[in-house]
Amino acid sequence: MRAGPGAAPGAGPVRVLVVDDHPIVREGLVALLDRADGVEVVGAAGDGEQAVALVAARSPDVVLMDLRMPGWDGVATTARITADHPGARVLVLTTWESDHDILGAVEAGARGYLLKAAPGEEIVAGVRAVAAGETALSPPVAARLVARARGGGSRPRLSAREREVLGLVAEGLGNPDIARRLFIGEATVKTHLARIFVKLGVDDRTRAVTRALECGILPPPSG
């Protein structure tokens, strides 16, 4: 669907690729997104290999990704897409909400994790949020991630670069300053922050720093 009242002024529609091995579910998601203002479905895939090929051919902004599929599962497909096509942001949509599934998807580079039981408007909002560089987490998923961060499970695993970025956020640096300090692009900083937010189950910089302090990822401030 072309950009409508819900789209940012002057912006094109959010281009979405739907990936699900169940034809009825896939068709339902395509229909849902086709009705949404500012969203354009550019393709639909029934397995991971087809999804990777369509990402290369059609350059979607967001890939709405199922987890359990024959052949390449959603985690393997997400890892392949995020490695080869960093401009395509993956939003997982699944019936599974175990810690293993959530963390596997996050480690593979997913920007969000929604459950198929979510209302249609939550799915559409999640697509828009991920396209804008934000995170999208269903409440049960966010609760699991927060519990882990607070000691309900193993400590969230941030990469060395993610810890560096978060440490500079804690010092009060903005994205341009972080990029200059680490000799990376500002877009790369935003990518690291998006992954940090998902891993910590938060949606802003202040909460990310607070959560990292709570679970020992960042050292307490001196003095």
Side-chain angles (χ1 to χ4, degrees):
M1 177 172 288
R2 294 183 179 278
V14 177
R15 295 166 53 81
V16 182
L17 174 67
V18 175
V19 185
D20 198 292
D21 65 321
H22 293 285
I24 293 176
V25 174
R26 192 166 64 244
E27 291 166 9
L29 290 170
V30 169
L32 170 71
L33 295 170
D34 268 338
R35 293 194 300 269
D37 288 331
V39 177
E40 177 186 358
V41 177
V42 296
D47 59 52
E49 190 170 0
Q50 184 183 13
V52 170
L54 284 174
V55 169
R58 302 185 184 176
S59 302
D61 302 308
V62 177
V63 181
L64 193 59
M65 178 72 68
D66 191 17
L67 278 189
R68 303 292 174 89
M69 299 183 294
W72 298 353
D73 65 10
V75 171
T77 306
T78 295
R80 180 71 175 269
I81 290 171
T82 56
D84 294 347
H85 306 280
R89 294 162 174 165
V90 177
L91 172 59
V92 169
L93 181 66
T94 181
T95 57
W96 307 95
E97 56 176 304
S98 71
D99 288 359
H100 174 78
D101 291 314
I102 296 167
L103 293 175
V106 170
E107 290 292 335
R111 298 293 192 92
Y113 197 110
L114 300 180
L115 301 178
K116 287 182 179 177
E121 57 267 25
E122 183 178 327
I123 295 171
V124 173
V127 166
R128 290 177 175 144
V130 168
E134 302 169 5
T135 59
L137 299 172
S138 283
V141 173
R144 281 181 177 274
L145 291 169
V146 169
R148 292 182 69 89
R150 286 179 169 168
S154 60
R155 190 170 74 174
R157 299 188 298 272
L158 300 189
S159 69
R161 180 63 92 188
E162 288 166 351
R163 291 195 300 273
E164 282 184 302
V165 169
L166 191 54
L168 294 174
V169 170
E171 292 180 19
L173 274 65
N175 290 357
D177 293 327
I178 293 172
R180 284 192 291 271
R181 180 77 66 88
L182 298 179
F183 302 101
I184 57 179
E186 192 171 345
T188 303
V189 174
K190 292 179 181 178
T191 295
H192 286 311
L193 284 173
R195 292 185 178 180
I196 290 167
F197 291 172
V198 174
K199 289 180 180 181
L200 297 181
V202 301
D203 56 11
D204 64 49
R205 301 162 75 93
T206 301
R207 290 179 184 175
V209 171
T210 301
R211 194 81 71 226
L213 291 169
E214 288 175 351
C215 61
I217 293 174
L218 291 180
S222 59

